[in-house]
Structure formats: structure tokens, C-alpha cells
Amino acid sequence: MLLLQFSTSHYCRKARLALGYKGISYQIENLTPGLHTLRVKPLTGLSTLPVLLPQIAGQPQAIGDSSQIFHFLESYQPEPALFLPNPEQQNQAMMLEDWLDESIGTATRFVYYQFRAGEGKAIDPSPFSQMVIQVVRKQYGINDTTVKLAQTRLGNALLVLSTYWQKRDYLVGDRLSIADIAAAALLSPLALIPEYLQEYPQIFERIINIHQLCAEPLPPGL
């Protein structure tokens, strides 16, 4: 299998965690933001990553969107399961994953790229890195106003997730689910921002644990 990705994308990390948890061997092709559409759009009709190319006879040519990749992997290799056997719990996990995808992953992106363009510029001050950051900021409309809204949304989400993970090891049920993988991936960029790392240590302990369960290298900052 081949995973088309941006090397720093937390949505692509989400797909890697799922592949790692399943123990599926795969290769990676890193694409350049902007130019990636030339590679991706003919395959899926979309301009987003990740995209998984199974490269297996009888399987789809390409699967776009990390949630659809979850469903494909579960049907392709049912064990170890990403989906919970209890339908009510699985529905809850899917609702959490969708919330994390649509709201929290976006808020993380805004806060992270604001940080990388300012205080965190020294992480990689190379012209190419800074060019990519500016491309992303322009593409998504990242500015002081939108970042402030994202910070509020993110703060509320971290309080909720902290409460969940303080009570039990997993967000839903008694084992790893797509909700845990989504949270671990989509919050991972915050590990480079000192105030989040200091204020929510229990969140990052769980992120570390989930990466270990999925045999995925830890994100920068951890």
C-alpha cells in the first residue's frame, strides 16, 4: 500500500496511526502543498490528503479522506479491530471522530500555523518551510481573528477530552477506537506549543501511549 501525504499533516498522521495499529505494511509518498492536487485530484476527485492507494488486486484504486481509510482498513483486515463491537459505542466513537475532524483538527491547524509563523518560526526557519506555512495560512484564512476563535474552541475541547481520559484509558469503551486515534493525531501538533504541553500533560500522556500502541513515531515535541 502507498499513502500519499503531507509530511507534517495531522490528518495524514491519523491514517498512519490506523495503518500502524493494524500492522499493515505501507510506503509513503510526500507531496508538496499546492502541487499535490496534480497527483491527487485525478485519483479521488478531491484536493485533500491523505489518500491511500491499496495497490492490491480487487481493491479500490484510491481511498481519499482519513475516515474512509478507517472503513477500508476495517473491511480489508478486521483484526485488530478499529471499530467497537457494541453498536451504540461505535456510533459514539464515530460522532467523536467526526467532531474531532471537522472542528478540533481545524482549530489545531489554525493555532499551529499561527505559532509556526511567529514564536515557533525557529523550529524550521528555512525559506521552503516558511513558504509552505504562508501558503497554508492564505489557503485557510488563518489570521489573528480566526486564530482567537480557534483557541477558544480548542480550549473547550481539551477540557472535555481531559475529563474523558481522566476517567478511563479510552474515549469510548474499553479499548482503542477511531475516536482515540483521531484525538491523538489531530491534537499532536500542539506538542510543539509550550503552553499546551504544560497545561494538559494528561492529554499528551495519552497521545504518547496511543502512538506506542500503533507503532508510530512520536510527533515533534514529544
Side-chain angles (χ1 to χ4, degrees), residues 6 27 45 47 52 75 93 102 105 112 116 140 164 190 214 220:
F6 296 137
Q27 294 180 313
S47 59
L52 183 67
S75 63
E102 300 302 322
Y112 173 74
R116 286 293 310 275
Y140 291 104
Y164 271 82
L190 301 179
C214 297

Side-chain angles (χ1 to χ4, degrees), residues 63-75:
I63 301 103
D65 183 79
S66 57
S67 298
Q68 292 305 311
I69 290 172
F70 281 173
H71 284 273
F72 167 74
L73 294 177
E74 193 75 353
S75 63

Side-chain angles (χ1 to χ4, degrees), residues 6-163:
F6 296 137
S7 61
T8 59
S9 166
H10 49 336
Y11 287 96
C12 297
R13 179 176 293 274
K14 185 182 163 197
R16 296 200 306 272
L17 286 170
L19 285 159
Y21 184 65
K22 291 285 190 181
I24 294 173
S25 179
Y26 67 98
Q27 294 180 313
I28 283 173
E29 182 178 335
N30 289 319
L31 304 182
T32 301
L35 297 178
H36 74 284
T37 56
L38 300 175
R39 177 84 162 95
V40 171
K41 206 158 189 179
L43 295 170
T44 65
L46 303 171
S47 59
T48 55
L49 291 174
V51 171
L52 183 67
L53 310 182
Q55 300 178 319
I56 299 169
Q59 300 297 338
Q61 179 192 13
I63 301 103
D65 183 79
S66 57
S67 298
Q68 292 305 311
I69 290 172
F70 281 173
H71 284 273
F72 167 74
L73 294 177
E74 193 75 353
S75 63
Y76 172 73
Q77 182 176 301
E79 296 296 332
L82 284 169
F83 291 179
L84 299 170
N86 180 301
E88 185 177 340
Q89 290 182 337
Q90 176 56 22
N91 285 337
Q92 185 181 356
M94 290 174 68
M95 287 177 63
L96 279 172
E97 187 224 350
D98 185 64
W99 168 63
L100 287 158
D101 266 1
E102 300 302 322
S103 180
I104 305 313
T106 300
T108 297
R109 177 191 287 131
F110 277 52
V111 171
Y112 173 74
Y113 280 102
Q114 181 83 342
F115 173 75
R116 286 293 310 275
E119 297 172 52
K121 188 173 182 179
I123 292 170
D124 185 352
S126 69
F128 178 77
S129 175
Q130 292 304 307
M131 179 196 72
V132 169
I133 288 168
Q134 293 309 316
V135 167
V136 172
R137 285 171 58 82
K138 184 175 180 180
Q139 179 181 357
Y140 291 104
I142 299 174
N143 55 53
D144 290 346
T145 302
T146 57
V147 168
K148 187 174 180 179
L149 293 171
Q151 287 171 331
T152 300
R153 184 185 305 162
L154 202 50
N156 293 335
L158 288 167
L159 287 175
V160 170
L161 293 172
S162 295
T163 301

Side-chain angles (χ1 to χ4, degrees), residues 175-194:
R175 63 176 176 79
L176 192 77
S177 76
I178 58 175
D180 297 290
I181 287 180
L186 299 179
L187 293 171
S188 63
L190 301 179
L192 281 170
I193 305 177

